[in-house]
Amino acid sequence: MFINISLHKLKVIHMSTATAEKKPERIRGSSLAVLVKYSNNVPFEEGLRKANDQNLVIASSKRLSQALLEFNEWRGIEAALPCWTGTMTGYEAPGKKFGKTIEYVDPKTDYRWVFPVPESYRGKKNAILVAEHPDYTLETDGRNRVVHATSVDLVKQFPTKLEHWYKGDPKHDIPQGKPVSSDNKDARCLWRIKKRVGPVARNYKLDYIRSRVVDLSLRPSIGFGVAVEVPKMGAPKLEGYKISLELSGVSKAELKDLLKRFAENLEVLGDVVGEELLGAARKLETILRQSTFKE
């Protein structure tokens, strides 16, 4: 089964001249796929452009938490990790109230990232603004990068200390509130700087601790991978997975069941012989599961 993705050129949106033309509905789904491999890493702006060009949705930080922590789903997008997420944020220095905008300068590019603060959130402090892709656009004006969001949430009690553990908020999984023990399965480790505008980054190194880090400290110009949403059992042929299989005498349902059992068997075998001996088998399982199949 193939999914045809119609490409359309990303246009920089200037709000004063944006037209009301109807855009095709975004491709969304309950599964994830690799859009950009980490080995081909791109700055966030480039990852955003690639996703918009293909009418795709960049996986949110909360969706990545699910993939990294709940279902071992990360193996299917391993090539994208570490990655940028579609969760755009803006926060001020500890104790400073929000004004009309939050501004951050990328130290490498000197680009000025600007997140306009909705009027109802002005005057708030120790909080963070959050918008999820595709509910925002990035306006480019010289060295300015302005976030225009149609939906912005305020996550209160945003921690002022870095590298401590906190529970994530229910909607975006952004660390908030008072510190908790790292033994808490819902705990997230916050990495932040003084103030910043930019997307959340997520990491992993086959490490349970690092996979729970919500990174709000990195400059957007750093090159990372990108993972996107795709329909279940219908992943398009994205970067890194350009294989199509012809199978004789095996139905898609049977193949799905076989792959599930194969993955389960690998988990058991890994506990016995160690993960270092299963590299080839893990890669084969990933390729088979992420490939698309003809009817």
Side-chain angles (χ1 to χ4, degrees):
M1 178 172 64
F2 288 99
I3 292 181
N4 294 320
I5 302 176
S6 57
L7 306 177
H8 19 185
K9 186 176 181 181
L10 174 66
K11 297 180 179 179
V12 174
I13 296 183
H14 295 270
M15 301 306 288
S16 60
T17 59
T19 64
E21 64 182 44
K22 187 175 180 180
K23 296 181 180 180
E25 186 176 349
R26 293 270 178 170
I27 297 169
R28 308 202 70 155
S30 59
S31 295
L32 297 177
V34 176
L35 177 64
V36 179
K37 294 190 291 185
Y38 176 65
S39 59
N40 295 333
N41 58 78
V42 296
F44 176 73
E45 275 188 88
E46 178 67 10
L48 179 64
R49 184 192 65 76
K50 286 178 178 290
N52 287 337
D53 276 355
Q54 299 187 46
N55 207 33
L56 296 165
V57 175
I58 302 175
S60 69
S61 183
K62 184 173 183 178
R63 182 65 181 86
L64 265 295
S65 288
Q66 178 182 323
L68 290 167
L69 301 169
E70 295 181 19
F71 303 117
N72 211 25
E73 188 183 11
W74 65 268
R75 296 191 185 281
I77 56 166
E78 182 175 8
L81 300 170
C83 70
W84 290 118
T85 75
T87 304
M88 177 62 67
T89 64
Y91 62 87
E92 276 288 4
K96 183 177 180 181
K97 294 181 179 180
F98 286 160
K100 292 183 178 180
T101 62
I102 301 171
E103 300 178 8
Y104 163 79
V105 177
D106 186 311
K108 181 177 181 180
T109 61
D110 204 34
Y111 290 165
R112 178 172 164 265
W113 289 67
V114 181
F115 200 139
V117 179
E119 189 171 356
S120 60
Y121 298 153
R122 294 171 191 173
K124 304 293 184 182
K125 64 180 180 179
N126 296 334
I128 183 170
L129 301 183
V130 185
E132 300 285 2
H133 188 250
D135 295 334
Y136 61 83
T137 57
L138 196 62
E139 176 188 354
T140 300
D141 180 13
R143 291 192 173 276
N144 293 328
R145 302 293 183 267
V146 184
V147 178
H148 293 290
T150 57
S151 178
V152 181
D153 291 322
L154 180 78
V155 176
K156 300 178 180 180
Q157 295 182 293
F158 182 57
T160 59
K161 296 181 179 180
L162 67 137
E163 295 188 14
H164 283 65
W165 293 87
Y166 307 89
K167 284 189 176 181
D169 83 285
K171 186 172 182 180
H172 306 284
D173 206 22
I174 297 292
Q176 69 171 166
K178 297 180 179 180
V180 298
S181 170
S182 61
D183 293 335
N184 188 316
K185 67 179 181 63
D186 296 322
R188 303 289 179 262
C189 185
L190 172 65
W191 289 1
R192 63 162 290 171
I193 54 178
K194 185 176 180 180
K195 70 172 184 176
R196 178 180 178 270
V197 173
V200 177
R202 296 302 296 264
N203 199 349
Y204 96 107
K205 285 188 178 179
L206 290 177
D207 182 319
Y208 184 59
I209 299 297
R210 191 170 289 271
S211 66
R212 293 190 290 164
V213 170
V214 175
D215 199 332
L216 287 157
S217 68
L218 300 173
R219 50 183 170 79
S221 58
I222 287 177
F224 273 167
V226 179
V228 292
E229 295 183 12
V230 291
K232 189 174 183 180
M233 292 302 293
K237 295 191 298 180
L238 302 177
E239 177 181 309
Y241 296 101
K242 302 184 182 299
I243 295 176
S244 174
L245 299 180
E246 298 258 12
L247 297 175
S248 177
V250 181
S251 70
K252 286 188 294 182
E254 289 173 324
L255 179 60
K256 181 180 178 181
D257 182 63
L258 286 170
L259 287 174
K260 179 181 178 182
R261 287 158 55 191
F262 182 33
E264 291 172 350
N265 291 342
L266 287 178
E267 290 298 322
V268 175
L269 189 58
D271 293 336
V272 177
V273 302
E275 286 291 332
E276 64 275 7
L277 298 180
L278 297 180
R282 289 288 191 198
K283 186 172 183 179
L284 176 61
E285 187 264 337
T286 296
I287 291 173
L288 288 172
R289 181 154 42 82
Q290 288 290 336
S291 297
T292 56
F293 299 93
K294 293 182 178 180
E295 295 285 354

